[in-house]
PDB file of all heavy atoms in Angstrom:
ATOM      1  N   THR A  90    -130.376 -64.733   5.693  1.00 98.00           N
ATOM      2  CA  THR A  90    -131.170 -63.825   6.535  1.00 98.00           C
ATOM      3  C   THR A  90    -131.030 -62.386   6.052  1.00 98.00           C
ATOM      4  O   THR A  90    -129.919 -61.938   5.754  1.00 98.00           O
ATOM      5  CB  THR A  90    -130.722 -63.890   8.008  1.00 98.00           C
ATOM      6  OG1 THR A  90    -130.891 -65.210   8.517  1.00 98.00           O
ATOM      7  CG2 THR A  90    -131.522 -62.905   8.865  1.00 98.00           C
ATOM      8  N   ILE A  91    -132.146 -61.686   5.970  1.00 98.00           N
ATOM      9  CA  ILE A  91    -132.133 -60.230   5.804  1.00 98.00           C
ATOM     10  C   ILE A  91    -132.685 -59.639   7.094  1.00 98.00           C
ATOM     11  O   ILE A  91    -133.815 -59.932   7.499  1.00 98.00           O
ATOM     12  CB  ILE A  91    -132.977 -59.759   4.612  1.00 98.00           C
ATOM     13  CG1 ILE A  91    -132.468 -60.381   3.311  1.00 98.00           C
ATOM     14  CG2 ILE A  91    -132.947 -58.228   4.512  1.00 98.00           C
ATOM     15  CD1 ILE A  91    -133.311 -60.012   2.096  1.00 98.00           C
ATOM     16  N   LEU A  92    -131.867 -58.833   7.730  1.00 98.00           N
ATOM     17  CA  LEU A  92    -132.282 -58.184   8.968  1.00 98.00           C
ATOM     18  C   LEU A  92    -132.526 -56.708   8.667  1.00 98.00           C
ATOM     19  O   LEU A  92    -131.613 -55.981   8.287  1.00 98.00           O
ATOM     20  CB  LEU A  92    -131.206 -58.355  10.047  1.00 98.00           C
ATOM     21  CG  LEU A  92    -131.643 -58.046  11.472  1.00 98.00           C
ATOM     22  CD1 LEU A  92    -130.856 -58.901  12.465  1.00 98.00           C
ATOM     23  CD2 LEU A  92    -131.478 -56.577  11.818  1.00 98.00           C
ATOM     24  N   TRP A  93    -133.769 -56.284   8.835  1.00 98.00           N
ATOM     25  CA  TRP A  93    -134.178 -54.936   8.464  1.00 98.00           C
ATOM     26  C   TRP A  93    -134.103 -54.008   9.680  1.00 98.00           C
ATOM     27  O   TRP A  93    -134.924 -54.111  10.598  1.00 98.00           O
ATOM     28  CB  TRP A  93    -135.595 -54.939   7.904  1.00 98.00           C
ATOM     29  CG  TRP A  93    -135.775 -55.777   6.674  1.00 98.00           C
ATOM     30  CD1 TRP A  93    -136.139 -57.096   6.622  1.00 98.00           C
ATOM     31  CD2 TRP A  93    -135.599 -55.359   5.317  1.00 98.00           C
ATOM     32  NE1 TRP A  93    -136.216 -57.524   5.313  1.00 98.00           N
ATOM     33  CE2 TRP A  93    -135.880 -56.479   4.491  1.00 98.00           C
ATOM     34  CE3 TRP A  93    -135.239 -54.146   4.716  1.00 98.00           C
ATOM     35  CZ2 TRP A  93    -135.809 -56.423   3.103  1.00 98.00           C
ATOM     36  CZ3 TRP A  93    -135.172 -54.083   3.338  1.00 98.00           C
ATOM     37  CH2 TRP A  93    -135.448 -55.206   2.537  1.00 98.00           C
ATOM     38  N   ALA A  94    -133.125 -53.125   9.690  1.00 96.00           N
ATOM     39  CA  ALA A  94    -133.030 -52.099  10.736  1.00 96.00           C
ATOM     40  C   ALA A  94    -133.537 -50.796  10.134  1.00 96.00           C
ATOM     41  O   ALA A  94    -132.807 -49.820   9.961  1.00 96.00           O
ATOM     42  CB  ALA A  94    -131.590 -51.965  11.209  1.00 96.00           C
ATOM     43  N   THR A  95    -134.818 -50.815   9.792  1.00 95.00           N
ATOM     44  CA  THR A  95    -135.405 -49.774   8.944  1.00 95.00           C
ATOM     45  C   THR A  95    -136.456 -48.938   9.664  1.00 95.00           C
ATOM     46  O   THR A  95    -137.306 -48.318   9.016  1.00 95.00           O
ATOM     47  CB  THR A  95    -136.007 -50.423   7.689  1.00 95.00           C
ATOM     48  OG1 THR A  95    -136.710 -51.628   8.058  1.00 95.00           O
ATOM     49  CG2 THR A  95    -134.919 -50.783   6.696  1.00 95.00           C
ATOM     50  N   GLY A  96    -136.388 -48.895  10.979  1.00 91.00           N
ATOM     51  CA  GLY A  96    -137.216 -47.964  11.725  1.00 91.00           C
ATOM     52  C   GLY A  96    -138.611 -48.461  12.039  1.00 91.00           C
ATOM     53  O   GLY A  96    -138.938 -49.648  11.866  1.00 91.00           O
ATOM     54  N   PHE A  97    -139.425 -47.509  12.472  1.00 90.00           N
ATOM     55  CA  PHE A  97    -140.752 -47.822  12.995  1.00 90.00           C
ATOM     56  C   PHE A  97    -141.765 -46.812  12.449  1.00 90.00           C
ATOM     57  O   PHE A  97    -141.411 -45.746  11.975  1.00 90.00           O
ATOM     58  CB  PHE A  97    -140.754 -47.725  14.523  1.00 90.00           C
ATOM     59  CG  PHE A  97    -139.835 -48.707  15.199  1.00 90.00           C
ATOM     60  CD1 PHE A  97    -138.468 -48.480  15.256  1.00 90.00           C
ATOM     61  CD2 PHE A  97    -140.341 -49.853  15.783  1.00 90.00           C
ATOM     62  CE1 PHE A  97    -137.616 -49.372  15.874  1.00 90.00           C
ATOM     63  CE2 PHE A  97    -139.496 -50.752  16.410  1.00 90.00           C
ATOM     64  CZ  PHE A  97    -138.128 -50.516  16.450  1.00 90.00           C
ATOM     65  N   ARG A  98    -143.019 -47.178  12.560  1.00 87.00           N
ATOM     66  CA  ARG A  98    -144.094 -46.237  12.281  1.00 87.00           C
ATOM     67  C   ARG A  98    -144.934 -46.087  13.544  1.00 87.00           C
ATOM     68  O   ARG A  98    -145.031 -46.994  14.368  1.00 87.00           O
ATOM     69  CB  ARG A  98    -144.965 -46.696  11.110  1.00 87.00           C
ATOM     70  CG  ARG A  98    -145.749 -47.971  11.374  1.00 87.00           C
ATOM     71  CD  ARG A  98    -146.703 -48.292  10.234  1.00 87.00           C
ATOM     72  NE  ARG A  98    -147.378 -49.572  10.440  1.00 87.00           N
ATOM     73  CZ  ARG A  98    -148.479 -49.702  11.171  1.00 87.00           C
ATOM     74  NH1 ARG A  98    -149.034 -48.639  11.750  1.00 87.00           N
ATOM     75  NH2 ARG A  98    -149.051 -50.881  11.322  1.00 87.00           N
ATOM     76  N   GLN A  99    -145.528 -44.923  13.656  1.00 88.00           N
ATOM     77  CA  GLN A  99    -146.395 -44.661  14.800  1.00 88.00           C
ATOM     78  C   GLN A  99    -147.821 -45.066  14.468  1.00 88.00           C
ATOM     79  O   GLN A  99    -148.225 -45.087  13.305  1.00 88.00           O
ATOM     80  CB  GLN A  99    -146.323 -43.181  15.171  1.00 88.00           C
ATOM     81  CG  GLN A  99    -144.935 -42.757  15.614  1.00 88.00           C
ATOM     82  CD  GLN A  99    -144.796 -41.248  15.688  1.00 88.00           C
ATOM     83  OE1 GLN A  99    -145.426 -40.520  14.939  1.00 88.00           O
ATOM     84  NE2 GLN A  99    -143.962 -40.779  16.598  1.00 88.00           N
ATOM     85  N   ASP A 100    -148.592 -45.398  15.486  1.00 90.00           N
ATOM     86  CA  ASP A 100    -149.974 -45.819  15.285  1.00 90.00           C
ATOM     87  C   ASP A 100    -150.843 -45.180  16.372  1.00 90.00           C
ATOM     88  O   ASP A 100    -150.773 -45.560  17.541  1.00 90.00           O
ATOM     89  CB  ASP A 100    -150.081 -47.338  15.348  1.00 90.00           C
ATOM     90  CG  ASP A 100    -151.505 -47.824  15.123  1.00 90.00           C
ATOM     91  OD1 ASP A 100    -152.377 -46.991  14.793  1.00 90.00           O
ATOM     92  OD2 ASP A 100    -151.754 -49.035  15.293  1.00 90.00           O
ATOM     93  N   PHE A 101    -151.615 -44.193  15.957  1.00 94.00           N
ATOM     94  CA  PHE A 101    -152.536 -43.541  16.877  1.00 94.00           C
ATOM     95  C   PHE A 101    -153.982 -43.806  16.458  1.00 94.00           C
ATOM     96  O   PHE A 101    -154.871 -42.990  16.716  1.00 94.00           O
ATOM     97  CB  PHE A 101    -152.274 -42.030  16.908  1.00 94.00           C
ATOM     98  CG  PHE A 101    -150.901 -41.653  17.413  1.00 94.00           C
ATOM     99  CD1 PHE A 101    -149.899 -41.296  16.521  1.00 94.00           C
ATOM    100  CD2 PHE A 101    -150.614 -41.693  18.761  1.00 94.00           C
ATOM    101  CE1 PHE A 101    -148.639 -40.943  16.981  1.00 94.00           C
ATOM    102  CE2 PHE A 101    -149.352 -41.352  19.232  1.00 94.00           C
ATOM    103  CZ  PHE A 101    -148.354 -40.977  18.335  1.00 94.00           C
ATOM    104  N   SER A 102    -154.220 -44.948  15.843  1.00 93.00           N
ATOM    105  CA  SER A 102    -155.557 -45.249  15.340  1.00 93.00           C
ATOM    106  C   SER A 102    -156.587 -45.342  16.459  1.00 93.00           C
ATOM    107  O   SER A 102    -157.789 -45.190  16.211  1.00 93.00           O
ATOM    108  CB  SER A 102    -155.530 -46.551  14.531  1.00 93.00           C
ATOM    109  OG  SER A 102    -155.077 -47.633  15.338  1.00 93.00           O
ATOM    110  N   TRP A 103    -156.141 -45.578  17.680  1.00 96.00           N
ATOM    111  CA  TRP A 103    -157.051 -45.667  18.823  1.00 96.00           C
ATOM    112  C   TRP A 103    -157.590 -44.302  19.243  1.00 96.00           C
ATOM    113  O   TRP A 103    -158.610 -44.221  19.925  1.00 96.00           O
ATOM    114  CB  TRP A 103    -156.346 -46.307  20.019  1.00 96.00           C
ATOM    115  CG  TRP A 103    -155.059 -45.607  20.403  1.00 96.00           C
ATOM    116  CD1 TRP A 103    -153.816 -45.856  19.907  1.00 96.00           C
ATOM    117  CD2 TRP A 103    -154.907 -44.522  21.333  1.00 96.00           C
ATOM    118  NE1 TRP A 103    -152.887 -45.003  20.473  1.00 96.00           N
ATOM    119  CE2 TRP A 103    -153.530 -44.181  21.356  1.00 96.00           C
ATOM    120  CE3 TRP A 103    -155.793 -43.825  22.156  1.00 96.00           C
ATOM    121  CZ2 TRP A 103    -153.031 -43.157  22.173  1.00 96.00           C
ATOM    122  CZ3 TRP A 103    -155.296 -42.812  22.961  1.00 96.00           C
ATOM    123  CH2 TRP A 103    -153.932 -42.489  22.966  1.00 96.00           C
ATOM    124  N   LEU A 104    -156.899 -43.240  18.837  1.00 96.00           N
ATOM    125  CA  LEU A 104    -157.251 -41.892  19.269  1.00 96.00           C
ATOM    126  C   LEU A 104    -158.088 -41.204  18.184  1.00 96.00           C
ATOM    127  O   LEU A 104    -157.571 -40.785  17.147  1.00 96.00           O
ATOM    128  CB  LEU A 104    -155.987 -41.092  19.568  1.00 96.00           C
ATOM    129  CG  LEU A 104    -156.151 -39.653  20.062  1.00 96.00           C
ATOM    130  CD1 LEU A 104    -157.081 -39.582  21.267  1.00 96.00           C
ATOM    131  CD2 LEU A 104    -154.790 -39.055  20.384  1.00 96.00           C
ATOM    132  N   LYS A 105    -159.379 -41.105  18.420  1.00 96.00           N
ATOM    133  CA  LYS A 105    -160.303 -40.517  17.446  1.00 96.00           C
ATOM    134  C   LYS A 105    -160.424 -39.017  17.716  1.00 96.00           C
ATOM    135  O   LYS A 105    -161.301 -38.553  18.454  1.00 96.00           O
ATOM    136  CB  LYS A 105    -161.671 -41.188  17.537  1.00 96.00           C
ATOM    137  CG  LYS A 105    -161.626 -42.711  17.515  1.00 96.00           C
ATOM    138  CD  LYS A 105    -160.959 -43.260  16.259  1.00 96.00           C
ATOM    139  CE  LYS A 105    -160.934 -44.786  16.258  1.00 96.00           C
ATOM    140  NZ  LYS A 105    -160.218 -45.341  15.092  1.00 96.00           N
ATOM    141  N   ALA A 106    -159.492 -38.274  17.142  1.00 95.00           N
ATOM    142  CA  ALA A 106    -159.476 -36.832  17.352  1.00 95.00           C
ATOM    143  C   ALA A 106    -158.889 -36.154  16.128  1.00 95.00           C
ATOM    144  O   ALA A 106    -158.108 -36.756  15.390  1.00 95.00           O
ATOM    145  CB  ALA A 106    -158.654 -36.487  18.604  1.00 95.00           C
ATOM    146  N   ASP A 107    -159.251 -34.906  15.936  1.00 94.00           N
ATOM    147  CA  ASP A 107    -158.741 -34.138  14.798  1.00 94.00           C
ATOM    148  C   ASP A 107    -157.365 -33.592  15.156  1.00 94.00           C
ATOM    149  O   ASP A 107    -157.156 -32.383  15.286  1.00 94.00           O
ATOM    150  CB  ASP A 107    -159.709 -32.999  14.470  1.00 94.00           C
ATOM    151  CG  ASP A 107    -159.274 -32.214  13.236  1.00 94.00           C
ATOM    152  OD1 ASP A 107    -158.528 -32.781  12.402  1.00 94.00           O
ATOM    153  OD2 ASP A 107    -159.659 -31.038  13.122  1.00 94.00           O
ATOM    154  N   ALA A 108    -156.416 -34.515  15.312  1.00 95.00           N
ATOM    155  CA  ALA A 108    -155.081 -34.147  15.780  1.00 95.00           C
ATOM    156  C   ALA A 108    -153.988 -34.591  14.826  1.00 95.00           C
ATOM    157  O   ALA A 108    -152.808 -34.519  15.174  1.00 95.00           O
ATOM    158  CB  ALA A 108    -154.839 -34.773  17.158  1.00 95.00           C
ATOM    159  N   PHE A 109    -154.361 -35.021  13.622  1.00 94.00           N
ATOM    160  CA  PHE A 109    -153.395 -35.640  12.721  1.00 94.00           C
ATOM    161  C   PHE A 109    -153.533 -35.074  11.307  1.00 94.00           C
ATOM    162  O   PHE A 109    -154.600 -34.589  10.914  1.00 94.00           O
ATOM    163  CB  PHE A 109    -153.603 -37.159  12.697  1.00 94.00           C
ATOM    164  CG  PHE A 109    -153.644 -37.779  14.058  1.00 94.00           C
ATOM    165  CD1 PHE A 109    -154.853 -38.016  14.697  1.00 94.00           C
ATOM    166  CD2 PHE A 109    -152.466 -38.089  14.722  1.00 94.00           C
ATOM    167  CE1 PHE A 109    -154.891 -38.572  15.960  1.00 94.00           C
ATOM    168  CE2 PHE A 109    -152.492 -38.643  15.981  1.00 94.00           C
ATOM    169  CZ  PHE A 109    -153.710 -38.883  16.601  1.00 94.00           C
ATOM    170  N   ASP A 110    -152.438 -35.181  10.541  1.00 93.00           N
ATOM    171  CA  ASP A 110    -152.515 -34.793   9.138  1.00 93.00           C
ATOM    172  C   ASP A 110    -153.039 -35.962   8.320  1.00 93.00           C
ATOM    173  O   ASP A 110    -153.408 -37.012   8.869  1.00 93.00           O
ATOM    174  CB  ASP A 110    -151.159 -34.288   8.634  1.00 93.00           C
ATOM    175  CG  ASP A 110    -150.079 -35.376   8.620  1.00 93.00           C
ATOM    176  OD1 ASP A 110    -150.406 -36.575   8.762  1.00 93.00           O
ATOM    177  OD2 ASP A 110    -148.898 -35.026   8.473  1.00 93.00           O
ATOM    178  N   ASP A 111    -153.053 -35.822   6.986  1.00 91.00           N
ATOM    179  CA  ASP A 111    -153.636 -36.875   6.149  1.00 91.00           C
ATOM    180  C   ASP A 111    -152.774 -38.124   6.080  1.00 91.00           C
ATOM    181  O   ASP A 111    -153.193 -39.152   5.542  1.00 91.00           O
ATOM    182  CB  ASP A 111    -153.924 -36.347   4.738  1.00 91.00           C
ATOM    183  CG  ASP A 111    -152.698 -35.755   4.062  1.00 91.00           C
ATOM    184  OD1 ASP A 111    -151.588 -35.817   4.645  1.00 91.00           O
ATOM    185  OD2 ASP A 111    -152.836 -35.232   2.941  1.00 91.00           O
ATOM    186  N   GLN A 112    -151.542 -38.059   6.643  1.00 87.00           N
ATOM    187  CA  GLN A 112    -150.679 -39.242   6.726  1.00 87.00           C
ATOM    188  C   GLN A 112    -150.731 -39.881   8.107  1.00 87.00           C
ATOM    189  O   GLN A 112    -149.980 -40.822   8.384  1.00 87.00           O
ATOM    190  CB  GLN A 112    -149.239 -38.861   6.394  1.00 87.00           C
ATOM    191  CG  GLN A 112    -149.047 -38.261   5.014  1.00 87.00           C
ATOM    192  CD  GLN A 112    -149.394 -39.235   3.917  1.00 87.00           C
ATOM    193  OE1 GLN A 112    -148.994 -40.402   3.961  1.00 87.00           O
ATOM    194  NE2 GLN A 112    -150.142 -38.766   2.918  1.00 87.00           N
ATOM    195  N   GLY A 113    -151.577 -39.362   8.981  1.00 88.00           N
ATOM    196  CA  GLY A 113    -151.695 -39.908  10.328  1.00 88.00           C
ATOM    197  C   GLY A 113    -150.649 -39.403  11.294  1.00 88.00           C
ATOM    198  O   GLY A 113    -150.516 -39.939  12.400  1.00 88.00           O
ATOM    199  N   ARG A 114    -149.907 -38.348  10.910  1.00 90.00           N
ATOM    200  CA  ARG A 114    -148.870 -37.802  11.778  1.00 90.00           C
ATOM    201  C   ARG A 114    -149.448 -36.748  12.706  1.00 90.00           C
ATOM    202  O   ARG A 114    -150.256 -35.917  12.276  1.00 90.00           O
ATOM    203  CB  ARG A 114    -147.743 -37.205  10.932  1.00 90.00           C
ATOM    204  CG  ARG A 114    -146.991 -38.226  10.116  1.00 90.00           C
ATOM    205  CD  ARG A 114    -146.035 -37.579   9.134  1.00 90.00           C
ATOM    206  NE  ARG A 114    -146.750 -36.734   8.178  1.00 90.00           N
ATOM    207  CZ  ARG A 114    -146.298 -36.461   6.960  1.00 90.00           C
ATOM    208  NH1 ARG A 114    -145.145 -36.957   6.550  1.00 90.00           N
ATOM    209  NH2 ARG A 114    -146.993 -35.678   6.151  1.00 90.00           N
ATOM    210  N   PRO A 115    -149.033 -36.757  13.969  1.00 93.00           N
ATOM    211  CA  PRO A 115    -149.567 -35.778  14.920  1.00 93.00           C
ATOM    212  C   PRO A 115    -149.265 -34.343  14.490  1.00 93.00           C
ATOM    213  O   PRO A 115    -148.156 -34.033  14.054  1.00 93.00           O
ATOM    214  CB  PRO A 115    -148.829 -36.118  16.223  1.00 93.00           C
ATOM    215  CG  PRO A 115    -148.419 -37.543  16.074  1.00 93.00           C
ATOM    216  CD  PRO A 115    -148.125 -37.729  14.618  1.00 93.00           C
ATOM    217  N   GLN A 116    -150.251 -33.477  14.619  1.00 94.00           N
ATOM    218  CA  GLN A 116    -150.080 -32.049  14.399  1.00 94.00           C
ATOM    219  C   GLN A 116    -150.043 -31.385  15.769  1.00 94.00           C
ATOM    220  O   GLN A 116    -151.027 -31.421  16.516  1.00 94.00           O
ATOM    221  CB  GLN A 116    -151.233 -31.505  13.561  1.00 94.00           C
ATOM    222  CG  GLN A 116    -151.313 -32.124  12.174  1.00 94.00           C
ATOM    223  CD  GLN A 116    -150.153 -31.690  11.296  1.00 94.00           C
ATOM    224  OE1 GLN A 116    -150.113 -30.588  10.780  1.00 94.00           O
ATOM    225  NE2 GLN A 116    -149.190 -32.574  11.123  1.00 94.00           N
ATOM    226  N   HIS A 117    -148.930 -30.763  16.110  1.00 94.00           N
ATOM    227  CA  HIS A 117    -148.772 -30.272  17.473  1.00 94.00           C
ATOM    228  C   HIS A 117    -147.736 -29.163  17.505  1.00 94.00           C
ATOM    229  O   HIS A 117    -146.964 -28.963  16.555  1.00 94.00           O
ATOM    230  CB  HIS A 117    -148.313 -31.409  18.395  1.00 94.00           C
ATOM    231  CG  HIS A 117    -146.926 -31.903  18.061  1.00 94.00           C
ATOM    232  ND1 HIS A 117    -145.805 -31.458  18.722  1.00 94.00           N
ATOM    233  CD2 HIS A 117    -146.471 -32.776  17.120  1.00 94.00           C
ATOM    234  CE1 HIS A 117    -144.722 -32.035  18.209  1.00 94.00           C
ATOM    235  NE2 HIS A 117    -145.103 -32.847  17.225  1.00 94.00           N
TER     236      HIS A 117
END
């Protein structure tokens, strides 16, 4: 078994707004 405790990514694909950078990260 390899158990990956390697974090998470965020997903705001449902939100169609000019609120993110080119990597999909919130700009705030």
Side-chain angles (χ1 to χ4, degrees):
T90 299
I91 301 177
L92 195 150
W93 300 91
T95 42
F97 297 78
R98 66 174 175 85
Q99 297 168 329
D100 181 7
F101 297 102
S102 59
W103 55 272
L104 181 53
K105 310 302 180 184
D107 184 23
F109 309 95
D110 65 13
D111 56 4
Q112 301 297 314
R114 295 171 299 206
Q116 298 291 283
H117 66 96

